[in-house]
């Protein structure tokens, strides 16, 4: 569908505002994981794209320099197209890297690493991911503005259901992991200490309840997404709120998966912060 420039500008501005509000609310835990560091970088990139779109939109009758290129109002849709491509390309790599990061943290493989080196690792992974994405886009796509023939300021906007597909897959993984955690036997090292070990069922239930109590409205929204007459534009798919939801979902999966493998049965503070 074709959308005029003003609604696109308003939605981009709203996305940037929402991104920074979400980053501010989680500022204490923002550098503890790859998703936290990537959220800050995404907020910066979205802000740069929004400012560039605004500049071209209001000064399109003149020659405007954006990212070292001369642009006019005929090229304003290139920025929307670029944002949509970035969102589609990054979704699955971000999920994969975040899953590896949470799995390593949950199994205490990074226990000996201090917070500063961990922050360096997460920052390096974020920079590498953005560089690979930029290289892929430059080599794979030929950016030609897709505009309406009647109005050059009406851009063609594509919709994507990647967020819904990822959510359904991870929710299925969470359900299978929780079920498997409930039926698996205790390790031999914990058999003699069962009196000091709270019930596994209670721990799994606590994990699932913390997740659902926090994200039920978002899950309801995603469930109704396929039935909306107008879907979510692809350039809005990748945002910080979605990354926080993804972070909580991955934490819940890791907690259910590694419970009983030597981890304390009490909910860790970092997990409580991530699930809320």
């Amino acid at each position: 569908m074709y959308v005029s420039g003003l609604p696109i500008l308003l939605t981009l501005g709203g996305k940037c505002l929402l991104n920074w509000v979400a980053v501010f609310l989680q500022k204490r835990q923002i550098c503890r994981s790859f998703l936290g560091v990537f959220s800050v970088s995404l907020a910066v990139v979205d802000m740069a794209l929004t400012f560039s779109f605004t500049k071209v939109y209001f000064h399109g009758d003149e020659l405007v320099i954006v990212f070292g290129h001369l642009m006019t109002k005929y090229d304003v849709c290139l920025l929307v197209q670029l944002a949509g491509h970035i969102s589609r390309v990054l979704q699955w790599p971000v999920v994969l890297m975040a899953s590896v990061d949470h799995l390593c943290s949950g199994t205490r493989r990074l226990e000996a690493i201090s917070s500063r080196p961990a922050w360096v690792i997460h920052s390096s992974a974020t920079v590498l991911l953005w560089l690979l994405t930029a290289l892929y886009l430059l080599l794979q796509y030929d950016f030609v503005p897709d505009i309406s023939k009647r109005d050059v300021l009406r851009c063609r906007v594509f919709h994507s259901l990647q967020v819904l597909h990822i959510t359904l897959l991870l929710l299925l993984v969470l359900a299978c992991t929780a079920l498997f955690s409930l039926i698996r036997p205790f390790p031999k090292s914990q058999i003699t200490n069962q009196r000091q070990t709270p019930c596994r069922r209670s721990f799994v239930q606590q994990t699932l309840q913390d997740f659902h109590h926090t994200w039920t409205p978002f899950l309801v929204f995603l469930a109704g997404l396929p039935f909306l007459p107008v879907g979510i534009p692809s350039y809005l798919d990748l945002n910080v709120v979605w990354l926080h939801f993804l972070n909580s979902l991955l934490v819940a999966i890791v907690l259910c998966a590694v419970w009983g493998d030597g981890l304390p049965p009490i909910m860790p503070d970092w997990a409580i912060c991530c699930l809320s």
Side-chain angles (χ1 to χ4, degrees):
M1 61 178 297
Y2 289 94
V3 182
S4 59
L6 184 58
I8 295 177
L9 179 61
L10 293 176
T11 53
L12 285 175
K15 180 186 178 182
C16 285
L17 179 61
L18 192 62
N19 283 346
W20 286 111
V21 169
V23 168
F24 178 79
L25 293 177
Q26 295 289 331
K27 60 181 179 180
R28 293 184 178 180
Q29 293 83 32
I30 205 69
C31 294
R32 293 188 178 184
S33 65
F34 162 76
L35 279 178
V37 177
F38 183 80
S39 296
V40 177
S41 69
L42 178 63
V44 173
V45 171
D46 280 341
M47 186 171 62
L49 286 173
T50 301
F51 284 164
S52 301
F53 186 91
T54 303
K55 187 176 181 180
V56 176
Y57 180 78
F58 286 106
H59 302 282
D61 294 332
E62 308 170 0
L63 292 179
V64 180
I65 299 178
V66 177
F67 302 130
H69 298 279
L70 292 176
M71 302 187 70
T72 65
K73 63 181 180 180
Y74 298 97
D75 303 315
V76 68
C77 295
L78 280 174
L79 297 174
V80 181
Q81 181 182 359
L82 177 63
H85 282 309
I86 289 175
S87 178
R88 288 196 293 268
V89 170
L90 280 177
Q91 286 286 0
W92 286 106
V94 166
V95 172
L96 178 60
M97 295 185 70
S99 301
V100 173
D101 178 49
H102 280 76
L103 183 61
C104 292
S105 299
T107 53
R108 292 183 168 182
R109 295 177 184 175
L110 298 180
E111 184 180 19
I113 300 179
S114 62
S115 59
R116 186 174 180 180
W119 180 84
V120 172
I121 293 175
H122 296 147
S123 300
S124 301
T126 299
V127 172
L128 178 62
L129 184 59
W130 280 112
L131 290 177
L132 292 177
T133 300
L135 181 62
Y136 177 80
L137 291 175
L138 289 175
L139 296 178
Q140 188 72 17
Y141 292 100
D142 182 18
F143 292 102
V144 179
D146 194 344
I147 59 179
S148 174
K149 297 181 180 179
R150 298 180 181 180
D151 187 355
V152 296
L153 293 182
R154 290 179 62 87
C155 306
R156 188 177 183 182
V157 175
F158 296 93
H159 301 105
S160 173
L161 292 177
Q162 267 190 325
V163 170
L164 182 60
H165 296 161
I166 293 173
T167 302
L168 291 176
L169 176 62
L170 292 181
L171 286 177
L172 180 61
V173 172
L174 176 59
C176 295
T177 304
L179 180 61
F180 178 74
S181 179
L182 292 176
I183 63 177
R184 67 194 298 190
F186 279 93
K188 295 181 180 181
S189 59
Q190 293 187 6
I191 294 178
T192 59
N193 197 28
Q194 288 185 7
R195 293 183 179 179
Q196 300 179 6
T197 304
C199 180
R200 174 183 293 173
R201 185 182 301 274
S202 299
F203 181 82
V204 174
Q205 288 178 349
Q206 179 190 354
T207 302
L208 298 179
Q209 288 176 0
D210 289 341
F211 172 76
H212 287 293
H213 287 170
T214 303
W215 294 104
T216 295
F218 191 76
L219 290 172
V220 172
F221 169 76
L222 291 180
L225 188 61
F227 305 100
L228 294 178
V230 178
I232 301 298
S234 59
Y235 63 87
L236 297 180
D237 273 353
L238 194 63
N239 56 78
V240 177
V241 175
W242 154 248
L243 293 180
H244 284 179
F245 168 78
L246 178 62
N247 184 61
S248 298
L249 185 52
L250 291 175
V251 167
I253 292 174
V254 170
L255 286 176
C256 292
V258 303
W259 197 95
D261 287 338
L263 287 180
I266 301 175
M267 182 78 71
D269 293 337
W270 64 269
I272 295 176
C273 295
C274 291
L275 288 175
S276 60

